[in-house]
Amino acid sequence: MLRRLVVVLGDQLDERSAAFDGFDPACDALWMAEVRAEATVVWSHQARIALFLAAMRHFAESRRALGWTVHYHRSGQAPGQTLDEALAVDLDRLKPAELCWVEPGEWRVAEALRGLAERRGQAYRVCEDRHFLCSRRDFEGWMQGRRQPRLEHFYRWMRGRTGWLVEPDGQPTGGAWNFDADNREAFPAGGPGLRPTPLAFAPEALTAEVLAEVATRYGDHPGSLAHFDWPVTRAQALAALADFIGHRLADFGRYQDAMWTGEPWPRTLLFHSRLSAALNLKLLDPREVCCAALEAYAEGRAPLAAVEGFVRQILGWREYVRGLYWHRMPAYLESNALDAQQPLPAFYWTGDTAMNCLRQTLGETLAHGYAHHIQRLMVTGLYALLLGVRPREVHEWYLAIYVDAVEWVELPNTLGMSQHADGGFMASKPYVASGKYIDRMSDYCGGCVYRPDRASGEGACPVSTLYWDFLDRHQTRFRGHPRLKMQVNNWLRKDEAERQAIRAAAADLRAEQARQAE
């Protein structure tokens, strides 16, 4: 008799999963399935689909090598289009005494699994996800009494819990909790210069098989598989971590926000880790990633500002957004505090636009399924926010298009930080800027037909036009905002003729892009 059937989801490839505690190969088994609905609930990038499937198959093979029984359904072979449909068939066939899974990373999947088990009267157990440094219960404890959570408060609390970069007297190492003042520079006029390219992983036989299947079954999905080189095993993920720590961590903080044109991998990304996908699939543990960075600092191989900035993204931001996701779901999904109603521009799926910043960022995204956080926040996200795109459409695009997208991390970043759809619950201000910001932080504007310093008239930059229009449309909300009132006042100081010209130009942009989206 099968004692326990452990469901392993595509983003739970954790060898130390709590679901494996007490696992006995003689009477327990794993269950995994590649179901079409998980690739089509949002129209996923081909590389995103391939990454999940390749990593899942490698993980299943690694468990079989231990002598474990793995019931695995490959793409097109699952007895059902959805996860719960396929699992229901196998519950009838296998009749386990207990069904077990780790907390999913998506509210929809969690509800589907729980609902299936309860409808059938199936005994089940949901295990805590030990991958994270802050449990959902501990996060809710931290939230008690807080009307307005802020990352900085949470991050300091987490630093105290772990002792990372904290001195024996409780003060932060280096005398400050963060070193943003030393980070986030633009590249010099000549660009970032040459650096060792990030470690790439040529597809071996199993991954090549997946790529061929995805090209056949999901060839109408966006993106390309031509550049697929992601780590799909734990050994590869560990090698990618060592490569980042050894070659790029030292400059990560200084240039983490800078953007630059380059092919085939943008030189911008040479300072970034590209570890988010491996982390979100749980091929890497955040503890080992942070400890590797801390060790580099202790040994003098990376400066404090770079290490603190990197640790903050994992210990602080990554844990914070996960906590907020579960605290706010499912209502979070419908957030639209700014009443944005514009459709997502069609060029987000093609990269076909005259705006060079968007053309470069979208082109890289479609080619690789990846872009770094400032390209996401201050190019694609900024434009959607200024245009007034429906937040749920923006969320679904981000979830579909990026290989590292899992809803617990993507949704709060998109709806909360990028689109300000939660009204400031997650981040105190909307991240709005004109084309001048993009010009300062990149070389994009130099190769563009538009002028970032013009908001109306010939050569006006659509980003700058929509920036001023955003301040106009939302001036009542933000006129008294401590971090935006100066920008609103700058709008109000413009003469009426200029304001009317900007409003008209913005209305034309919205109308044209709405027509193209139809």
Side-chain angles (χ1 to χ4, degrees), residues 166-219:
V166 175
E167 299 304 308
D169 63 357
Q171 294 303 302
T173 299
W177 289 103
N178 72 61
F179 291 87
D180 273 352
D182 299 320
N183 290 340
R184 301 180 176 177
E185 295 181 22
F187 290 132
L194 297 178
R195 289 291 189 277
T197 56
L199 189 62
F201 301 92
E204 36 51 62
L206 184 56
T207 301
E209 182 182 27
V210 168
L211 296 179
E213 290 181 23
V214 170
T216 299
R217 295 181 59 81
Y218 300 101

Side-chain angles (χ1 to χ4, degrees), residues 33 121 167 202 269 284 291 328 346 371 432 434 458 508 518:
E167 299 304 308
L269 295 173
L284 289 175
C291 286
R328 300 279 284 190
V432 294
S434 72
E458 184 178 357
D508 288 344
E518 291 177 354

